[in-house]
Structures are given as C-alpha cells and as structure tokens.
Amino acid sequence: MGFLGTVWTIARKDLVVEARSRELAYTTLFFAVSVVLVFSFSFVVDGAPLTDAAAGILWVGIAFSGTLALGRTFERERQADTLKALLLSPVERPAIYLGKLVGVLLLMLGVELFVVPIIGLLFQAPVTRAPWLLAGLLAAGTVGFAAVGTLFAAMLMRAHSRDVLLPVLLYPITVPLVIAGVRGTASIFAVEPNLAVAQAWLSMLVFFDAVFLTLALWVFGPVMNE
Amino acid sequence: MQSRSNLVPVFLSLAAVMFAVSPFLIDAAPYEATMGLVQRIFYYHVPSAMVMFASAFVCGIASVVYLVKRSSTADAVALAAAELVVVFGLIVLVTGPLWGIKAWGVWWQWDARLTSSLVLWLIFVSYLLLRRFAGAGSEMLAAAVGVFGMANVPFVYWSVNVWRTIHPTTNVVKSLPPEMGLPFYWCAGAFACLYVGVLLTRLRLEESRMALEAAYAEVED
C-alpha cells in the first residue's frame, strides 16, 4: 500500500468509527451552535449584531468546536489503546499523522457546512456574496488549525492534564489563523466588501498552512517515537 | 561546563556596572518633546522586548537541536530560554502599560506591538505550563511547542501588524538622535549581559538537577 493509501485507510477508519456512533458529529455541531448562541448575547445590541460580530462568532465557534473534536478523537484512541497499535504497525509516522489530520479535517469541515448557514441566517451575514473566497478562507483556516491541533492532541495523549493543556497550547499558536480568518471573513461580510483584503488574508493562511504542515510532519516522528 | 560557569560572574558584574551607570546616562539624555519624562521608560522597555524576542529564538533553535540530537544540554537551554522569555516579557508587559497610560491615556491598547508581545508571551507561558504539568516525557512535547513558537513569531508579527498599528515603528530606533542613542544602546547592552548571565546560571542549575536525577535513578536501580 502506498503512502496515500495508508493515509486514506487511517482516515477512513476514523470516519467509519464516527459514522457508527455519530458521537463527535452531533456533539461538536451542537457545541458550535451553542457557542454561537452564547456569543450572540454579548454581540447583539438592540436586536442587531455589532459590526464584524458574525465573522468573529463564526471563527470562535470553529476554534472551540475544533478543540473539542480534536480532544475526543484522540481520547477514543487512548481509551481502547489503539494508537499504540497504530504506532506499532509498519507504517511511516507522517502517514499516521496525515490520516488522523484528514479525519479531523473532514469532521470540522462538515460542522462548518452547518454553522456557516446558521451564521448567515441569525446575523444577516451575506454568506453567498463571495462563496469561493469564503470557502477558501474556511478551508485554509481549518487546515492550519487542524494541522497544529492534530500534532498537539496526539503528543498530549500520554500527558497529564491533557484536556486543559490542549487549548492552552493551541490558542496562542493559532492566533495568526484566527486574525486572518476573522479579518478576511469580515471584509467579505462588510457593508462595503473588500475582496482584495480577503484574498491577502487567504494567501497568508495558505502560507501558514504550508509552514506548519511541514513542521508538524517533521516533528510528529520524533515526538511519537518515545 | 566549568569554563561556562566562569563566564557567569563576568556577565553579571558587567550587567551590574552597566545598570548602575544607566540612570545617569538616561538622565543626561534630552527630554522628548511631547511625552517628557515618561518617555524614559523607553530605555528599559525596548531592550527588554529585544531580549524577549531573542530569547524566543534561542528557545526555538535549542528545541530544534533537541529534536534532532536528543542532547540534554539543548533541552536545558530551551527551558532556560523559555523561562527568560516569560521573565523579560513580564518586564515588557509591565513597563508598556506604564508608558501607555501617560502617552495614550489608557493602560492597554490593542496595537500591533503590544498584542504580538502578549501572544508571544502566552505561547511561552503555555510552554512552561506544559513542562510543569504534563508529567514524564514532557521534554519532547515542549520541544515541539518551542519550534512552533519560534516559527509563529513572523506570523504573529505580520498578522497583528496588518490588523492594527498605532505603536511607534522600528524606524524609531534608527532615527534616534545621538544623545538618545547612547543611553539606548548602553541599556540594550546591559540587558543583553544580564540575559546571558542569567541564562548560563539557569542552565547550570538545570544541568545539576538532571545530574542529580540521574544519580538518584542509578541508586534505585
């Protein structure tokens, strides 16, 4: 089996497990929706959302629910001690990392498919104004978040207090992603949209993804070898 | 290791002398027209920020070395540097608002430099939290965080800069009149000496701790 075949096998394993219980999909989605609801109480004044609130709430929802999904994906592997089996199997470490990453990524993108229309509906955000650009921002931002998150969640698996440490490590590192995502999305949603600005943020996100994916692929081997 | 320890008193006494002289140099520097006396925080604020960023890179590079070579010295350097990022970052984050309340009228502005310093500081606080609470084997995980923290500096810097800017830019240092330049570079030198001295001391402490741990492990076997 080639490298990509291995990646897909691992990702499919995660998706099959998920499809049987649908635990992560349901909990993550409803968590994202409740984050949106909680934030709406602070950012809706006199019945109308504040400027740029929709973009901010969207990305906070993605980051929070993504953390939840990351934690649970690896908790599942830990409970059944299956990651040890995965690491013992004669597969390259980067393939395991990418397989887990693809699984998390598909889950997060699936959640976004629901959350974006909800944001559009509840905050009158013009989500269909520049659909490809918005999709690009979401995809690039999610790839970066999941790339860093998968590495950290995997390496924290044997650590104490991992539940707290995952967001503590993840949020400061992903600040550039959140800024780029929120500012890019806000310039699409604005009353006077500025798509050039959104494109600039998108290219920064792609650059971030490239750097951090490379680093994570390199770091995953030594970190998971212990 | 012995020759390294000999350097500690050299750097620390150099730093002590330079810090003792620095108030006179700062006092001799001209008043800044709009901000007056409070502008003098600059001579300690900016050097500590420079040391903080330098220390982040020291930690990142040491983490890379540790990931490749598994040398315990590299790990000790990374830990010492990360702690110093937090210490010097604290100086930056305390002197910054003190200056800000006089210059801008508010303690905190969400401007580029403040925000990126805060983010960098938080990354290294999380590094220390990881080392403190993750339990056995946290050196490897911390090394990964150190590498990511270093790689993140340009991204944080760039994204925060585009997001917001009211802070004086880096051109300020280059455009300093010579009467202000001397105390500034003097203080930068003092902070650099202090940094190296403290880093080496912390490194020695960490290496002694590791040696002690190894000795205990040997006795127990």
Side-chain angles (χ1 to χ4, degrees):
Chain A
M1 193 162 27
F3 183 82
L4 288 179
T6 317
V7 170
W8 177 239
T9 310
I10 294 168
R12 202 187 52 187
K13 163 196 83 78
D14 274 5
L15 294 175
V16 169
V17 172
E18 178 53 36
R20 289 196 183 134
S21 68
R22 287 180 222 98
E23 179 205 357
L24 274 180
Y26 287 154
T27 49
T28 310
L29 179 61
F30 276 89
F31 181 71
V33 173
S34 44
V35 167
V36 170
L37 181 74
V38 168
F39 273 95
S40 64
F41 294 124
S42 5
F43 297 122
V44 174
V45 179
D46 295 330
L50 299 174
T51 334
D52 296 351
I57 294 169
L58 172 63
W59 282 89
V60 170
I62 291 170
F64 280 12
S65 59
T67 317
L68 203 72
L70 281 165
R72 278 304 300 166
T73 319
F74 283 91
E75 190 61 24
R76 210 177 250 170
E77 296 271 14
R78 203 184 64 86
Q79 272 170 356
D81 226 4
T82 43
L83 195 80
K84 199 182 274 170
L86 208 56
L87 290 171
L88 282 172
S89 61
V91 202
E92 292 157 84
R93 289 279 185 275
I96 297 177
Y97 168 77
L98 281 181
K100 295 301 290 181
L101 172 61
V102 169
V104 171
L105 206 55
L106 289 177
L107 183 77
M108 285 183 72
L109 291 173
V111 169
E112 283 162 27
L113 255 132
F114 288 93
V115 176
V116 171
I118 291 175
I119 292 276
L121 218 76
L122 293 182
F123 297 98
Q124 295 95 44
V127 288
T128 49
R129 184 180 279 154
W132 291 110
L133 199 52
L134 181 62
L137 282 169
L138 285 169
T142 312
V143 167
F145 189 83
V148 181
T150 305
L151 175 73
F152 285 1
M155 69 187 204
L156 279 172
M157 222 171 49
R158 277 159 305 172
H160 294 292
S161 49
R162 54 187 160 274
D163 304 335
V164 196
L165 283 175
L166 180 62
V168 161
L169 294 176
L170 196 51
Y171 292 151
I173 296 266
T174 51
V175 160
L177 285 181
V178 175
I179 296 180
V182 171
R183 294 329 305 164
T185 313
S187 51
I188 296 178
F189 287 174
V191 184
E192 289 166 26
N194 189 342
L195 298 187
V197 169
Q199 265 162 4
W201 284 116
L202 176 59
S203 37
M204 185 256 172
L205 280 175
V206 171
F207 190 49
F208 183 99
D209 290 356
V211 170
F212 278 81
L213 254 179
T214 318
L215 273 179
L217 282 169
W218 174 65
V219 167
F220 190 77
V223 166
M224 298 309 284
N225 256 348
E226 300 281 288
Chain B
M1 194 171 161
Q2 196 50 47
S3 61
R4 212 199 286 147
S5 318
N6 291 341
L7 287 175
V8 171
V10 176
F11 277 106
L12 286 184
S13 33
L14 208 58
V17 172
M18 288 180 89
F19 271 114
V21 176
S22 69
F24 298 102
L25 285 176
I26 295 172
D27 185 50
Y31 258 56
E32 205 273 337
T34 47
M35 286 182 275
L37 187 62
V38 75
Q39 180 266 342
R40 277 147 208 266
I41 292 176
F42 162 83
Y43 297 109
Y44 277 18
H45 174 77
V46 178
S48 14
M50 286 159 76
V51 168
M52 173 195 180
F53 275 88
S55 191
F57 278 93
V58 171
C59 176
I61 291 163
S63 301
V64 172
V65 173
Y66 181 65
L67 281 173
V68 176
K69 289 192 177 164
R70 308 288 171 104
S71 104
S72 56
T73 312
D75 182 46
V77 172
L79 175 60
E83 285 182 355
L84 289 177
V85 173
V86 175
V87 172
F88 283 93
L90 206 58
I91 299 178
V92 176
L93 292 174
V94 169
T95 52
L98 284 178
W99 189 359
I101 188 74
K102 290 303 254 186
W104 298 324
V106 284
W107 292 102
W108 184 267
Q109 285 267 26
W110 285 103
D111 93 307
R113 287 304 159 80
L114 264 84
T115 313
S116 48
S117 306
L118 180 66
V119 172
L120 185 68
W121 190 73
L122 280 178
I123 290 175
F124 283 88
V125 170
S126 74
Y127 175 99
L128 294 184
L129 286 175
L130 177 70
R131 291 204 79 129
R132 178 86 172 73
F133 296 114
S138 61
E139 300 85 12
M140 221 37 177
L141 316 187
V145 176
V147 172
F148 274 61
M150 176 176 71
N152 214 12
V153 170
F155 286 104
V156 171
Y157 205 71
W158 191 81
S159 59
V160 173
N161 244 311
V162 176
W163 176 52
R164 200 129 286 222
T165 311
I166 26 169
H167 196 280
T169 57
T170 13
N171 299 328
V172 169
V173 174
K174 272 179 263 161
S175 65
L176 281 183
E179 313 83 68
M180 284 187 180
L182 171 71
F184 173 72
Y185 288 113
W186 182 270
C187 290
F191 270 96
C193 287
L194 178 68
Y195 173 70
V196 176
V198 176
L199 184 78
L200 291 177
T201 313
R202 181 66 184 90
L203 187 57
R204 194 172 61 171
L205 176 66
E206 186 59 21
E207 281 182 330
S208 312
R209 197 195 56 77
M210 282 174 177
L212 183 67
E213 215 161 73
Y216 268 127
E218 216 164 89
V219 169
E220 275 168 20
D221 281 340

